[in-house]
Amino acid sequence: QVQLVESGGGSVQAGGSLRLSCAASGSIGSINTMSWFRQAPGKRRELVASITSGGSTYYADSVKGRFTISRDNTIYLQMNSLKPEDTAVYYCAAALRALGTLKSQALNYDYWGQGTQVTVSS
């Protein structure tokens, strides 16, 4: 069993920065893939970034060059140069197995955090 607790969300002006944290506890050694998803009002939940136990990373085109994912026993999402379109509830998710091309599908993850709101004003 794995528990995920997110923090670090808030309200920021366009161009600002935030760092999201996802504290993982339980059987964290069994996790292969950690990802950040976001969901804006009226939109589908979308993959933002992911990282594997081996350190391989993935970024959505919309955030590449602005966001950085990293991990120790906490998973971080450093968000720089924020834009209003980044406004969403951000969720961390963990998968026990290597997902490969399936990592963008929320259904494939085993554990989820509660979500943290990020609001970017223009």
Side-chain angles (χ1 to χ4, degrees), residues 8-111:
S11 182
V12 65
Q13 293 189 26
S17 298
L18 286 172
R19 187 176 74 164
L20 305 184
S21 299
C22 179
S25 61
S27 301
I28 58 176
S30 63
I31 298 172
N32 177 270
T33 304
M34 295 291 305
S35 296
W36 287 95
F37 286 78
R38 67 186 181 188
Q39 188 166 25
K43 303 293 185 180
R44 295 175 60 85
R45 189 169 297 187
E46 64 175 348
L47 177 65
V48 176
S50 65
I51 188 167
T52 69
S53 60
S56 298
T57 58
Y58 165 86
Y59 298 95
D61 288 343
S62 59
V63 307
K64 193 173 298 181
R66 300 188 297 121
F67 291 10
T68 303
I69 189 170
S70 60
R71 69 182 299 181
D72 35 63
N73 287 333
T74 298
I75 298 83
Y76 304 97
L77 186 68
Q78 179 66 46
M79 305 186 294
N80 297 327
S81 301
L82 283 162
K83 304 175 180 179
E85 51 262 45
D86 296 318
T87 296
V89 177
Y90 284 70
Y91 301 88
C92 64
L96 299 177
R97 68 185 183 97
L99 295 180
T101 57
L102 302 178
K103 60 181 174 294
S104 65
Q105 301 177 36
L107 186 63
N108 293 321
Y109 290 79
D110 301 289
Y111 304 100

